[in-house]
Amino acid sequence: MNNRFNDNLLLIKGLCEVLNILAERAVEDANDDSCKALYADLKKDMTSYIEEIKAEIDNHKMKGKWL
C-alpha cells in the first residue's frame, strides 16, 4: 500500500468536512423547505462519509498500513 492511498483518504475527508460546513450554512440560508431538505440531506451524507473515512483510517493504523 502506498502513501498516496492514505493521502487520498485525508484529502477526501477534508473535502467532506468543507462540504459539511457549506451544507450547514446553506440550510440556515435556504428560503424554502425543498432547499432546506436538500442541504440537510447533503449534510447527513457528508457526516456519514466522514465517519466511514475515520473508521478506514483507524483500520489502516491498526494494520500498520498508515504511513
Side-chain angles (χ1 to χ4, degrees):
M1 174 147 326
N2 62 30
N3 195 37
R4 186 169 164 178
F5 185 84
N6 294 334
D7 291 343
N8 290 341
L9 284 172
L10 290 174
L11 181 59
I12 294 292
K13 180 178 171 278
L15 291 170
C16 288
E17 289 168 343
V18 169
L19 283 170
N20 204 13
I21 291 166
L22 291 172
E24 187 174 318
R25 186 183 305 166
V27 167
E28 294 170 4
D29 294 340
N31 59 6
D32 64 50
D33 289 340
S34 63
C35 284
K36 285 183 183 183
L38 170 72
Y39 294 124
D41 286 346
L42 184 59
K43 183 170 174 24
K44 182 179 174 183
D45 289 345
M46 290 305 113
T47 300
S48 174
Y49 296 150
I50 291 166
E51 293 306 315
E52 287 181 54
I53 293 166
K54 285 179 181 178
E56 186 67 18
I57 289 169
D58 288 343
N59 188 31
H60 280 228
K61 288 178 180 178
M62 286 178 20
K63 292 180 177 180
K65 296 179 179 180
W66 194 258
L67 305 174

